Amino acid sequence: MISTGLFRLVKEEFPGIRVHVLSSPSNCGVIRNDPNVDGISVFRKKKPLELPGLIHSLRRHRFDAVVNLVFYPSFTGAVIARLSAPRKAVRVRVATENRLDHFYNVNIRRDIWGAAKRTMLEETVSIIEVLGGSLEGRDIRPLLYPGDGVAATSSSLESRIGVNLAAGDRYREWSLERWTEAIQMMLERFPGFTVHIFTPPSDPRGELLTERFPGGRVSAVNPSSDILEVCAGLARMNVLVTPDTAMVHMADALGVPVVAMYISREKLTLWKPCRVAFCAVVSPDGTMDSVNAGDVVDALADLMKETI
């Protein structure tokens, strides 16, 4: 999600250039309709026997430059960067250490983990400067091109609070008990609003929470593995409450105000949105369950006063 602004900047800065993206199966849907992306290849990490065929396919494009947007030292990413283009191609990466430097001919060193001063969005789009472009006065926000049937949120829509339960790993997950407490507070404090719960496929928590709140004001959004279908549901929310995950940046791209929960101040610095109305709630001790439900609902109330 945070790389989508870079694709647009490259197209604007270098008219006529072609952009090809190597993506995972789970996130390639983000750029399915992106006019700034000319080609997409999919890398399935769990199927390593496909790697030689993928590299052969990539080499046929004869890329002039390969840019690795994964900032940690990924050996697989280094191998793909080295083998997927002719020897004369420029190979660029941003990294926090010198491991795997020899796979690239341009290594940009940054202090990120443990010393974050900029968002990952800012770190990513700054690669345009490495390529010879400029960021001065440029729009760096993430972009989504959902396609037909996905309208931007607006005040004319039904009053809806989106609640995203999925965080990607257990360290950023809020417990079902915390969500139950928070949703109860939302229903009491915002009587004109309905609550719509987002979960990934095969996650039963949406239905479990719906059962805990009979009466029709709480419902589970139909789960989907298609990111653009998730965007279609998210775009119809007036506001989103979520742990620190990709949904923050999807909401940022769609213009949906966000209340986001972070396990540390550094995570907030790295992963906050760039343009949408936003409130953050940060864990006092590095664990998500120590985030108080009342603090989240208070932040939601403050955000709604400003935006709704």
Side-chain angles (χ1 to χ4, degrees), residues 167-174 263 288-289:
D169 65 58
R170 62 187 180 87
Y171 299 105
R172 290 176 285 149
E173 294 276 4
W174 222 18
I263 60 173
M288 191 59 79
D289 254 12

Side-chain angles (χ1 to χ4, degrees), residues 151-160 193 234-238:
T153 188
S154 73
S155 59
S156 63
L157 294 174
E158 178 187 343
S159 300
R160 297 174 175 177
F193 282 78
L234 178 55
R236 289 164 173 78
M237 299 299 116
N238 294 88

Side-chain angles (χ1 to χ4, degrees), residues 182-202:
I183 291 172
Q184 182 63 51
M185 292 180 182
M186 292 176 196
L187 297 175
E188 293 171 357
R189 292 187 63 173
F190 314 114
F193 282 78
T194 53
V195 175
H196 302 263
I197 301 170
F198 291 82
T199 59
S202 304

Side-chain angles (χ1 to χ4, degrees), residues 6 9-10 13-14 17 65-67 69 90-92 106 108 125-134:
L6 176 63
L9 289 173
V10 169
E13 192 74 29
F14 309 107
I17 204 168
V66 176
V67 182
L69 297 179
V90 177
R91 296 176 175 83
V92 179
V106 180
I108 310 300
V125 298
S126 69
I127 290 173
I128 194 70
E129 298 173 325
V130 178
L131 299 175
S134 171

